[in-house]
Amino acid sequence: MAGKVRSLLPPLLLAAAGLAGLLLLCVPTRDVREPPALKYGIVLDAGSSHTSMFIYKWPADKENDTGIVGQHSSCDVPGGGISSYADNPSGASQSLVGCLEQALQDVPKERHAGTPLYLGATAGMRLLNLTNPEASTSVLMAVTHTLTQYPFDFRGARILSGQEEGVFGWVTANYLLENFIKITFETTSPAEDRASEVQLHLYGQHYRVYTHSFLCYGRDQVLQRLLASALQAFSAFFYTVDFLRTSMGLPVATLQQLEAAAVNVCNQTWAQLQARVPGQRARLADYCAGAMFVQQLLSRGYGFDERAFGGVIFQKKAADTAVGWALGYMLNLTNLIPADPPGLRKGTDFSSWVVLLLLFASALLAALVLLLRQVHSAKLPSTI
């Protein structure tokens, strides 16, 4: 008899396993969202004095059709800006190689082919394009040839207008400071204020912002609204004021001090400047004109008084990301990059999982008890 029972045990266990499987399939499930993969984008900021590479990343499943972009890494290209290679276009392209090789390491290999790569040139190339358009074209062609040799999705190299650079810089600063979440745009009548209109596509929404040309005149209602809160000054503003403050050791806490610091720099001879600030020869000649421009723009162009100037914050980074036009450019470009569908898997509610666990545990325990009883009953006849 014991032999018969033991012979039935394997099919019984198999039947129990099949029944458990059927019960498992009948348990209601729900879709559980997998952690999103990351996408990457590369922007080369080809400025007048140097070129910087910024690598950005964002979740593949975008929010409101716009990537939630953050800075992944950066690299400073050695030497001057690409416009300084007007007589040697191949030198401009060769200067980028070191940072591009770093990009190969910073971006996962499986993401190379899907990573857009852009080069945007600003003031230096704008000037070169005006004075020597043939040389400007040659430089862009040379860097394009090099950029296309890399496994990224190269989307082009072009010269940005001053307006584009300004708008993308504005987007960067406000994005990093979360002002798009905190503020609402107050617009005025174009007929009343003679305002010009800038249209922006951000976060999948459409904004119309009336600029009122305050960048040129400054003494209007729009500027007065802006002055009610702190303003962020970045890019050339930061680098110029930082040079005066740290390298020259001059106070710049007030407009009067900023003017005095600018005059101080401009009164230095070339030999005096080199002796006072060794190691910055490449950009040293620009600081006199830059300091004067910043001081005049803030005081006469924007119409800042001492109170308003006290609310200006000069900064290089916000939220661990460089403040400049490149991130704003990347934010705009991610609108054109399709989002990946979210990864889904089937999941079971925790309470159902606990019930299944107890069911399987009970089945195993019952099987063990039955097996022990069969063994015990098989030993009884031999004992008698």
Side-chain angles (χ1 to χ4, degrees), residues 191-273:
E192 175 188 349
D193 288 339
R194 298 177 183 176
S196 58
E197 183 181 294
V198 175
Q199 300 196 19
L200 301 173
H201 296 271
L202 302 171
Y203 304 101
Q205 303 296 323
H206 182 75
Y207 295 98
R208 294 186 303 172
V209 182
Y210 298 108
T211 63
H212 195 53
S213 302
F214 68 88
L215 293 180
C216 296
Y217 301 101
R219 302 176 187 274
D220 54 42
Q221 297 176 6
V222 174
L223 181 60
Q224 296 308 314
R225 292 194 196 103
L226 293 175
L227 294 181
S229 59
L231 299 176
Q232 287 73 39
F234 51 90
S235 190
F237 286 96
F238 167 80
Y239 289 111
T240 301
V241 171
D242 185 66
F243 170 80
L244 297 174
R245 186 167 44 205
T246 59
S247 299
M248 297 294 293
L250 301 171
V252 290
T254 65
L255 273 176
Q256 186 176 0
Q257 289 178 346
L258 179 61
E259 181 179 9
V263 171
N264 186 307
V265 171
C266 292
N267 283 336
Q268 302 281 321
T269 66
W270 180 240
Q272 288 174 326
L273 274 178

